[in-house]
Amino acid sequence: METFPKIISVDDHTVEPPNVWQDRLPSKYQDIGPRIVRAPLKEMTFVGGKFAPLMGGPGDAGPVADWWVYEDLHRPLTRLDTAVGYDRDEVRLEAITYEQMRPGSFSVKDRLADMDVNHVQSALCFPTFPRFCGQTFTEAKDRELGLLGVRAYNDWMVEEWCGPEAGGRLIPLTLVPLWDAELAAAEVRRNAARGVRAVCFSEIPPHLGLPSIHGDEWDPFLRACDETGTVIAMHIGSSSRMPSTSADAPPAVGSTITFANCCFSMVDWLMSGKFDRFPGLKIMYAEGQIGWIPYILERADVVWEENRGWGGVAEKVLRPPSELFADHVYGCFFDDAFGLKNIDAIGVPNVLYETDYPHSDSTWPRSREVGEEQMGHLAPDLVERIVRGNAISLLGLTPDGLWAGA
């Protein structure tokens, strides 16, 4: 491909600097709010989709790591948080310090430099310590502190990570307090007023002990997203339950089927009736890939056509699911040759590109080369839409692909 468009990645990640919450929480919360503590790692496992680290104390043996400590939570930084730059076979489940990670993981200046290396113009970044939709704060005991934690993260995201130093190249993605739909709606509107057009949400809320999208509990939040043009972004793992088959399955099993929760979630939304009630609503699935989508749409249409009478959707799903998908749903991929070979069955307008920096699956620093290899059969105007044009439209960016703020 003679010229490949500058990439707008809709799924990268930021590792939050140590000061995000310490600089923003009231003094009374300094000792229990999120903070970094350097301590040894006693042991850490990741089996059956469950991550279990154990923090040591003074005098304990074990590799030294930087830990996020928040209420009773102890969560180390890990090599899986920031694996780019390492040979794939060198990436292990190990705890690390900030000095042991690539600076672009947490430094705006260094992130921009790594984006330049990777032919990336702009990037939307999901959180690390709060987890992919803010589960860390949802699970906390102190709701007042949790709400302050969500707002502090959003202020840092908008004012610093996506602030003047980024020059519009970093696109804000904010959190909401998932435990209260009215508070969530207020936070969507607060951030929309300063130009934010994307918010994190859980792919399967009941896995977090929250209501499903089939009831009306989420309506205040959905209404706020609809009215402000805020895209609901759902990342794999945002239900705190990665797909797996058994308690002793190795991580490779879950890594192979990471798309599964996106698949379940998309069917949930298509059969929920929410898109008819909130016609401006848009949702996107980060890191879910796209190759699985055509069959699911085919099957959903058959079920809607043949079984909607007894299937509980006749009165609320008023159009075929495939039509709802075309108007409301976006699939995101970074390495999916099969999906691109079947792009006509998905729809070019519904596909977005990503690089997953700095995770172990990331195509950095070869995202351009991967895109050229997998999109070589497509016309240049279609490549342009997939790589950047669709993201510009969906996220309300400038014609040049930059975030302009409020």
Side-chain angles (χ1 to χ4, degrees):
M1 199 172 293
E2 291 186 7
T3 59
F4 193 77
K6 290 298 289 286
I7 297 165
I8 297 178
S9 174
V10 296
D11 170 33
D12 286 358
H13 300 264
T14 177
V15 176
E16 299 80 17
N19 65 319
V20 170
W21 290 275
Q22 291 293 292
D23 285 356
R24 291 169 179 80
L25 292 177
S27 57
K28 69 176 182 176
Y29 288 123
Q30 293 293 309
D31 293 335
I32 59 172
R35 61 204 181 278
I36 286 290
V37 173
R38 186 159 289 188
L41 172 72
K42 294 185 69 174
E43 64 175 305
M44 180 165 56
T45 59
F46 185 32
V47 179
K50 184 175 177 59
F51 177 54
L54 182 60
M55 179 177 171
D60 285 336
V64 173
D66 283 334
W67 295 72
W68 281 107
V69 178
Y70 171 41
E71 293 190 338
D72 297 329
L73 174 67
H74 300 84
R75 196 276 196 198
L77 303 179
T78 75
R79 177 58 60 211
L80 298 185
D81 294 330
T82 172
V84 292
Y86 285 77
D87 184 89
R88 289 289 198 259
D89 291 336
E90 295 177 353
V91 177
R92 299 281 190 268
L93 182 63
E94 59 181 343
I96 61 173
T97 65
Y98 278 95
E99 289 81 6
Q100 293 172 296
M101 70 171 63
R102 192 170 185 87
S105 303
F106 59 89
S107 159
V108 172
K109 176 183 176 182
D110 294 293
R111 173 59 65 92
L112 297 181
D114 279 353
M115 290 163 61
D116 289 338
V117 169
N118 201 31
H119 198 66
V120 173
Q121 178 190 24
S122 306
L124 182 82
C125 296
F126 283 82
T128 297
F129 167 70
R131 313 220 297 281
F132 294 145
C133 67
Q135 301 102 298
T136 297
F137 297 111
T138 301
E139 295 167 359
K141 300 172 185 175
D142 188 330
R143 289 297 194 213
E144 180 182 358
L145 174 56
L147 179 58
L148 290 172
V150 166
R151 289 175 174 167
Y153 176 86
N154 291 341
D155 290 345
W156 169 79
M157 168 61 63
V158 174
E159 298 165 7
E160 290 195 33
W161 185 251
C162 302
E165 185 179 8
R169 296 181 62 189
L170 294 174
I171 306 161
L173 173 64
T174 52
L175 304 174
V176 293
L178 292 169
W179 59 90
D180 187 313
E182 293 286 357
L183 289 176
E187 190 63 12
V188 166
R189 296 183 191 281
R190 182 175 83 95
N191 291 304
R194 46 186 179 174
V196 177
R197 291 294 178 268
V199 63
C200 300
F201 192 66
S202 174
E203 58 203 354
I204 307 176
H207 285 349
L208 304 180
L210 299 170
S212 81
I213 61 165
H214 296 288
D216 59 6
E217 291 91 342
W218 291 110
D219 284 4
F221 165 71
L222 300 181
R223 186 173 297 107
C225 292
D226 183 14
E227 292 176 355
T228 61
T230 299
V231 179
I232 298 175
M234 292 171 281
H235 194 284
I236 58 167
S238 56
S239 60
S240 294
R241 190 183 300 179
M242 292 298 287
S244 190
T245 56
S246 60
D248 60 349
V253 172
S255 186
T256 302
I257 57 174
T258 52
F259 72 92
N261 282 348
C262 296
C263 173
F264 300 156
S265 175
M266 190 178 81
V267 174
D268 238 6
W269 281 89
L270 293 176
M271 298 297 188
S272 70
K274 297 303 182 185
F275 295 135
D276 287 301
R277 295 189 56 211
F278 302 102
L281 206 58
K282 307 286 186 181
I283 67 174
M284 58 169 271
Y285 288 100
E287 208 172 322
Q289 311 302 341
I290 60 174
W292 53 272
I293 292 175
Y295 171 70
I296 296 301
L297 294 180
E298 178 185 90
R299 176 60 183 165
D301 277 358
V302 169
V303 170
W304 181 82
E305 183 68 36
E306 302 291 339
N307 302 327
R308 63 178 179 265
W310 62 263
V313 297
E315 296 181 358
K316 63 179 181 178
V317 182
L318 307 181
R319 292 187 290 152
S322 60
E323 291 186 16
L324 296 173
F325 173 89
D327 289 343
H328 300 276
V329 185
Y330 296 79
C332 310
F333 78 99
F334 57 82
D335 186 2
D336 192 340
F338 181 83
L340 288 165
K341 289 176 183 177
N342 295 277
I343 194 69
D344 288 343
I346 302 167
V348 167
N350 299 85
V351 174
L352 306 169
Y353 201 39
E354 57 189 21
T355 79
D356 196 31
Y357 178 104
H359 285 179
S360 60
D361 263 348
S362 178
T363 51
W364 185 94
R366 297 190 64 256
S367 299
R368 174 180 181 169
E369 289 78 4
V370 171
E372 288 176 329
E373 292 166 6
Q374 297 187 352
M375 300 184 216
H377 63 293
L378 298 176
D381 62 317
L382 301 184
V383 175
E384 174 81 17
R385 293 195 66 176
I386 293 169
V387 173
R388 57 183 289 112
N390 291 339
I392 289 173
S393 298
L394 181 64
L395 299 172
L397 306 180
T398 70
D400 293 331
L402 301 173
W403 179 62

